[in-house]
Amino acid sequence: KDLHYLNLNDNYITTIENLSDMPNMGTLQIKKNRVGKNGLSDLMGLLELPTLTVLDISDNLIDDEACIDEVFVKMPNLAVLYLKGNPVCKKIRNYKKSIISRIPTLKYLDDSPVFPEDRRYAEAFTAGGIEKEREERKKVKQEKDDEHWKNHEAFREMIRKAKEEKKRKEEEKAQLEEAREDGIGQDEVG
């Protein structure tokens, strides 16, 4: 019950099942097996692992595109997915964009991190094709440019304030020295 990590790589496993007694499972490595040989039913056991965040199921026999919507999308905490090396990857049009847009919790897909702008591009592409993606890329670029200039202006303002503060301190120091000199001059007279 306390198992958090399970490595079942290279074991000729065909069906993922009987995992409901592992409520704390966070990582499952089950690459280079025969999962998917019998179709989508081989993957349904993954739904017994709601805490699973990392799944390496690469290099298996998964061929049914329904695995995305029927299994992976329904995994509430899935953040890292290695699916490469399965026949299904070649069947899914615009594989990376499609997976990223359909699994909102995903932070890493196969060998690549999923950055927030990657998600925005993928979702735009899914919503309206390449034109929507191009529009989203322009928006992201404009946002980055705006942020750059905002930071630039904030830096200039910080420098301006620092110069003002330095000038103020120098004036106070000069007034203090002048007051001391006046005090010393009066002591000599008196």
Side-chain angles (χ1 to χ4, degrees), residues 112-154:
S112 304
V114 177
F115 295 109
E117 48 277 351
D118 294 330
R119 178 163 309 287
R120 287 177 62 180
Y121 302 151
E123 289 172 355
F125 181 84
T126 301
I130 194 71
E131 282 304 314
K132 283 285 186 192
E133 181 183 350
R134 285 182 183 143
E135 288 174 22
E136 194 63 29
R137 286 183 182 275
K138 285 180 184 176
K139 284 182 192 175
V140 168
K141 183 182 181 323
Q142 186 62 50
E143 288 168 8
K144 286 182 178 182
D145 288 348
D146 292 348
E147 185 66 22
H148 168 79
W149 288 112
K150 179 180 161 193
N151 289 339
H152 183 72
E153 287 302 316

Side-chain angles (χ1 to χ4, degrees), residues 25 43-44 57 111 122:
M25 178 72 66
L43 299 166
M44 298 312 281
I57 197 163
D111 293 323

Side-chain angles (χ1 to χ4, degrees), residues 52-88:
L52 197 68
T53 57
V54 178
L55 174 62
D56 185 348
I57 197 163
S58 55
D59 300 313
N60 275 281
L61 303 174
I62 302 166
D63 196 27
D64 189 345
E65 289 181 60
C67 69
I68 306 303
D69 293 321
E70 295 301 317
V71 180
F72 302 131
V73 168
K74 293 179 179 179
M75 297 174 70
N77 296 301
L78 186 61
V80 177
L81 175 63
Y82 286 90
L83 189 59
K84 65 183 178 179
N86 283 285
V88 72

